[in-house]
Amino acid sequence: MSPARILFVEDDINLGFVVRDTLENVPFQVTHCTSGPTGWAMFQSQPFDLCLLDVMLPQTDGFTLARQIRAVNTQIPILFLSALTDRADRLEGLRLGADDYLPKPFSIDELILKINIFLRRTIISQTPAVPVGTWLDRNNLTLSVNGQPQVLTHREAAILAYLLDRPNLLIRRDDLLRAVWGDDDYFMGRSLDVFISRLRKRLATDSSIRIENVHGVGFVLRR
């Protein structure tokens, strides 16, 4: 099997060299760009399996680049790397459709772990019975609501699949966080809220299914 192809957009030359060299030894196939426009042109020119984006890029910032990528590809995992550690910035990245946000300085081992999680994550269990009008194709990360198909991100599909497998049961936040993120720290909890909000919007046209919040405890998927 050929190495996974990663688009890496980072304007810090020294950091870019270290990260690229390390990832290529995993091995991954890494294409390193140093500006937003160059990254966008490269994304359009060839297929990639994952995007690794700095936020503070020259000419076109990472958030704008992520919007461009999501406009044409809603499935590819996007991970942000950024020195912007404010929660508002991190949550904005997730609202744009990113799958994760790793603040600088970061552990290269943690980065490799996160990359592998997204590259290996395939939701292959059989789709359970779901309400009329809504079904989840876990293999293709596709959600159909009243005949309208939507392509989910890996995180969205993983969260929805976990809830669908446990209908009408109270799912504790920390259990869901550990199942999907492998951790249950404060920021991951805020990230979960963003993804739950996105899923509610996706399911809004089917009144027979809803995700309820149980304050301070977790969620219940009603169907």
Side-chain angles (χ1 to χ4, degrees):
M1 180 181 295
S2 59
R5 299 157 298 185
I6 296 176
L7 175 62
F8 176 37
V9 189
E10 166 62 65
D11 65 324
D12 184 319
I13 300 299
N14 292 329
L15 176 62
F17 174 80
V18 171
V19 172
R20 176 178 179 173
D21 185 63
T22 303
L23 293 181
E24 287 181 335
N25 284 325
V26 171
F28 297 125
Q29 181 181 319
V30 181
T31 299
H32 178 209
C33 303
T34 57
S35 72
T38 305
W40 174 235
M42 192 60 66
F43 182 82
Q44 294 177 295
S45 70
Q46 57 186 282
F48 290 97
D49 299 301
L50 182 142
C51 295
L52 191 59
L53 310 179
D54 185 22
V55 173
M56 300 177 66
L57 293 169
Q59 300 176 276
T60 301
D61 63 45
F63 287 161
T64 301
L65 178 56
R67 289 190 190 96
Q68 293 174 312
I69 292 171
R70 276 287 173 256
V72 298
N73 188 323
T74 58
Q75 296 188 62
I76 188 168
I78 297 177
L79 280 71
F80 279 122
L81 303 176
S82 180
L84 299 176
T85 57
D86 186 81
R87 273 199 298 274
D89 292 314
R90 299 167 83 176
L91 293 174
E92 175 63 17
L94 295 174
R95 291 189 184 99
L96 292 174
D99 292 277
D100 215 332
Y101 192 114
L102 197 61
K104 298 177 180 177
F106 54 85
S107 161
I108 193 67
D109 291 333
E110 181 181 2
L111 174 60
I112 292 171
L113 175 62
K114 288 180 178 291
I115 290 173
N116 279 322
I117 287 172
F118 288 113
L119 292 177
R120 292 174 181 171
R121 180 169 289 151
T122 53
I123 307 170
I124 59 176
S125 58
Q126 293 183 342
T127 303
V130 296
V132 173
T134 296
W135 57 267
L136 174 65
D137 181 341
R138 306 186 186 202
N139 292 318
N140 295 311
L141 304 180
T142 302
L143 175 69
S144 177
V145 181
N146 291 330
Q148 297 299 314
Q150 307 174 45
V151 181
L152 306 182
T153 68
H154 285 72
R155 287 272 198 230
E156 289 174 333
I159 293 168
L160 184 56
Y162 190 91
L163 294 174
L164 284 171
D165 285 341
R166 300 159 180 83
N168 303 310
L169 297 178
L170 174 59
I171 305 302
R172 299 183 64 85
R173 292 176 63 89
D174 53 356
D175 290 338
L176 183 52
L177 285 165
R178 281 191 288 266
V180 177
W181 272 272
D183 200 349
D184 62 349
D185 68 14
Y186 175 80
F187 173 66
M188 295 307 177
R190 294 296 303 274
S191 303
L192 174 60
D193 292 333
V194 172
F195 282 99
I196 290 291
S197 177
R198 279 157 51 173
L199 287 172
R200 283 177 173 144
K201 291 179 181 178
R202 293 186 179 281
L203 297 168
T205 59
D206 186 352
S207 61
S208 68
I209 184 171
R210 65 188 184 277
I211 301 173
E212 296 180 352
N213 181 61
V214 179
H215 183 68
V217 182
F219 307 94
V220 179
L221 184 139
R222 299 291 186 190
R223 66 179 196 185

